[in-house]
Amino acid sequence: MLRFASIVMILLLAAEFSPALFALTVQDAPEEGKHKVELMPFTFTMQKKGRLIGKVTVQAVLEVQDASKIEYVKQRVPQIRADFNLVLSELSRVRFDINRPIDPDLVQRSLTPYADYRVGKDVVKVYLKQALIEPNK
């Protein structure tokens, strides 16, 4: 019993003093049998008529449908990020508005064809973890 208490205490201290390390360990565990690849957030400025009006932050998650293809998907993340960045920049110019929340379905529908192009149709599903527009002050 003492050994178990010591292990729990070490884990709690590790989580408190190095949360990034602990979060990475917890985050890598797939939920309900699905494997996921979390992309780093996309952050860019939003401009209208040459004026800076806000900052957009979008974070996407790729849910890999077949566990055997997770390494294949991870190898293509730089290409997927480049494609997603172009699409999100265009959406920010044409469809995003600082007075309305970002429509996650619109973003998901816009990104999915690019993910399908890079890794194959129905290999991954694109989900949004975060979609924010922060108005310029």
Side-chain angles (χ1 to χ4, degrees):
M1 187 66 173
L2 182 60
R3 182 175 282 186
F4 177 74
S6 298
I7 292 171
V8 170
M9 183 59 84
I10 290 170
L11 288 175
L12 289 174
L13 288 173
E16 186 172 333
F17 291 108
S18 62
L21 177 64
F22 190 76
L24 179 64
T25 305
V26 172
Q27 191 174 26
D28 286 345
E31 295 176 8
E32 299 178 22
K34 297 291 183 179
H35 297 277
K36 62 183 178 179
V37 176
E38 290 195 25
L39 302 178
M40 295 295 294
F42 297 90
T43 303
F44 49 91
T45 59
M46 187 172 165
Q47 299 181 5
K48 295 288 184 195
K49 297 182 182 178
R51 284 186 38 234
L52 175 69
I53 61 170
K55 183 173 96 174
V56 179
T57 303
V58 176
Q59 185 174 10
V61 176
L62 304 175
E63 183 182 82
V64 183
Q65 302 302 305
D66 182 2
S68 66
K69 295 192 177 189
I70 194 150
E71 288 304 317
Y72 174 77
V73 171
K74 284 181 179 180
Q75 291 173 353
R76 281 147 184 81
V77 165
Q79 298 162 329
I80 293 170
R81 278 192 60 81
D83 292 344
F84 284 11
N85 197 30
L86 291 172
V87 173
L88 291 169
S89 295
E90 183 62 27
L91 283 175
S92 76
R93 283 192 292 276
V94 178
R95 300 295 298 262
F96 294 171
D97 186 350
I98 61 169
N99 298 316
R100 291 189 322 247
I102 295 175
D103 180 8
D105 293 331
L106 169 71
V107 176
Q108 183 180 0
R109 283 192 313 268
S110 300
L111 297 178
T112 298
Y114 292 90
D116 289 347
Y117 172 75
R118 292 295 179 186
V119 296
K121 186 149 179 71
D122 298 326
V123 173
V124 296
K125 286 187 180 178
V126 179
Y127 293 100
L128 291 187
K129 184 174 184 178
Q130 179 184 24
L132 300 172
I133 297 177
E134 186 177 322
N136 194 21
K137 297 177 183 172

